[in-house]
Amino acid sequence: MLQDGLRALAAQAAAVLERQRQERSGSDAPAYLAAAREVSNWRREAVQDLQPAPLSALAVLLQVERPVVTRCVKLNNYWCIKRARWKGEIGADEEGHTGFASADEGADAAVTLLRRYYLELGRKSALDIVRRWAPAECRGGAPSVSLPVLALSGIGMTLRARWLAAQRANAAPARRTRVASAVSGAGKPSRRPAAQSRVSVVPLRPLPSFRVPDIAVGLGERRVATLSATPTSAPKRRQPTPASVAAAQERTAARLAKPAPAKPIASAPLRPAPPPVRVASTASTAAPRPPVRACTPDEGRIRNYAARIVAGLDLGPSDDLKLFAPDGTPLPNLPRVMLAMSSVELGMLRASLELIESAIARSAPQTQTNLSLRPLEAAPTP
C-alpha cells in the first residue's frame, strides 16, 4: 500500500514537471535537452519502469542526482547504448550515449543489439559480449595526459607529486629580464634603456692548500718539457770494424747451416658435420602470435561485468549464454541477462522485468507468426 502510494505521488510530481516543461517549450513530444543532458520525460519513465520502485519514486520526488540517478537513467537508456540511428533516438550526449523518447524504445534497441551480437557477430559468451558492449578504454598504450592536468595533479598522483605541483602552481611567476646593450646595430644607440637586471654574485672561497713532502714530489704531477734555445748534438753512432763484420757473418752462416728440428704433426680430430641450415619458408609454420593483453584495470572491470551477467545461470563467463535460437527466437536466459546488464549499467537502479519482457515480446511476433504459418503451408489442400 505504501509503495503504491509513493509511486502514485512520484508519478504526479513527474507529470507536473513535464507539464511545466511542455508549457515552456510549447510541444507535447519528448525532447532531448542538450544543456541538461537529459530527455524531458525521464522522470515519468523512471517511475514506471525502474526498480526498486520506492527508490526510483523518492529519487524523482526529491530530485536526487548521482549516484542514484545516473546519466543513462535521464536518457531513458537503461543499457547505456551508443547512438546508431535507433528507432526512437532523439539525441545523444558528448560520449555518444543515445537519448530515447521512451524507455520501451530503449529496451527494444537492447534486444536488437543483443540479437545482432549473438547471431551475426558470434559473440555468445558473457566475456565476448561485454568486450564489445563496454570495451576497454586504454587500448594502444597509456592514455594521454595534457600538461595542464599534470601541472595541477602531478605525475602519478602521489602525495608528494600533488604537493610539489601545488607549490609550483602557487609560486610567483619568474620575471623575464631583457639585457639590452648600450649600443645596438652599427653604432646606433638602442631605443630602450638597458634593463636593470640583478646579478647574483657568489664570492669564491680559497681552497685549502696542502704541503707535499719531498718524498712524494712528482707523484701527482706531470713533468713539463722545456725546450732549450741551444741545439743539442745527436749521439754519435759506433762505426763497425772489420773484426765485428766478420764475426757477424760467421754467426749468420752457422744459423743458416743448422737444420731446423722437425715438428711432429698431430692428427687433427675429425670435426662433426655442421647441422643443416634451416631456410625460412613463406608458409605460416610458426606458432600463432599470442593475443594482445588488455590493460589490467579495464580487464578486471570486464570480468566483473561478465561475472554479474552469469550469476545464477549456472554458467561460466566464457560459456554460451543461450540467448537466441538459430532462427532468432528468444530463449529463457535473455530476460535474466538483460536484467543483470541493466543493474550493472545503472548501479543502484535497474530496469523492471515487465519492461524487458514486453520488449522481448515485441521482438518475437514476427518469428512466432512465421512458425505458426509453417503447418498451414505444409498441409495438403482439400
Side-chain angles (χ1 to χ4, degrees), residues 109-127:
V111 175
T112 303
L113 191 57
L114 281 175
R115 179 185 283 110
R116 183 180 305 168
Y117 279 15
Y118 193 87
L119 297 178
E120 298 180 10
L121 302 180
R123 295 182 174 269
K124 300 181 182 296
S125 66
L127 277 176

Side-chain angles (χ1 to χ4, degrees), residues 133-381:
W133 193 283
E137 298 180 358
C138 56
R139 292 173 295 181
S144 59
V145 183
S146 60
L147 291 179
V149 174
L150 285 179
L152 294 178
S153 59
I155 301 177
M157 291 297 293
T158 59
L159 182 61
R160 179 171 177 78
R162 292 198 301 269
W163 182 85
L164 290 175
Q167 294 298 321
R168 183 171 180 81
N170 296 332
R175 296 181 180 179
R176 293 183 178 180
T177 59
R178 295 182 179 178
V179 179
S181 60
V183 179
S184 62
K188 297 180 180 180
S190 60
R191 296 180 180 178
R192 297 182 181 179
Q196 299 295 332
S197 59
R198 180 176 176 271
V199 181
S200 176
V201 179
V202 179
L204 297 178
R205 297 181 180 179
L207 297 177
S209 59
F210 300 94
R211 184 177 179 181
V212 181
D214 296 340
I215 195 173
V217 172
L219 291 182
E221 302 175 357
R222 292 183 179 179
R223 293 185 178 181
V224 180
T226 58
L227 298 178
S228 175
T230 60
T232 58
S233 59
K236 296 181 180 181
R237 294 184 60 183
R238 184 180 177 183
Q239 296 297 331
T241 61
S244 62
V245 172
Q249 290 177 354
E250 291 177 359
R251 287 195 300 269
T252 304
R255 185 170 65 252
L256 295 176
K258 185 178 180 180
K263 296 182 179 180
I265 300 175
S267 60
L270 296 178
R271 295 183 179 179
V277 180
R278 295 183 179 180
V279 181
S281 63
T282 57
S284 58
T285 57
R289 296 178 61 184
V292 180
R293 298 180 62 183
C295 51
T296 304
D298 268 22
E299 182 66 18
R301 175 187 63 84
I302 289 173
R303 290 191 173 276
N304 291 336
Y305 197 153
R308 291 278 298 275
I309 290 177
V310 299
L313 295 179
D314 197 16
L315 296 173
S318 301
D319 297 339
D320 189 349
L321 292 176
K322 301 177 182 178
L323 301 180
F324 297 93
D327 59 354
T329 304
L331 298 180
N333 284 348
L334 180 60
R336 303 177 65 176
V337 169
M338 292 185 64
L339 192 65
M341 294 179 67
S342 174
S343 176
V344 174
E345 296 289 351
L346 300 185
M348 301 182 69
L349 298 173
R350 65 179 182 275
S352 63
L353 190 59
E354 292 80 7
L355 174 68
I356 297 173
E357 290 178 345
S358 61
I360 295 175
R362 285 192 296 271
S363 69
Q366 185 67 29
T367 305
Q368 293 179 355
T369 303
N370 296 338
L371 291 176
S372 62
L373 291 178
R374 287 178 186 175
L376 295 179
E377 294 174 356
T381 57

Side-chain angles (χ1 to χ4, degrees), residues 18-48:
E18 187 174 356
R19 194 178 305 113
Q20 293 176 357
R21 199 276 312 167
Q22 293 174 357
E23 292 176 355
R24 290 194 301 268
S25 61
S27 175
D28 296 341
Y32 175 71
L33 309 178
R37 295 189 297 179
E38 63 183 28
V39 179
S40 57
N41 64 343
W42 73 267
R43 296 177 180 84
R44 181 178 49 135
E45 299 293 322
V47 171
Q48 296 176 358

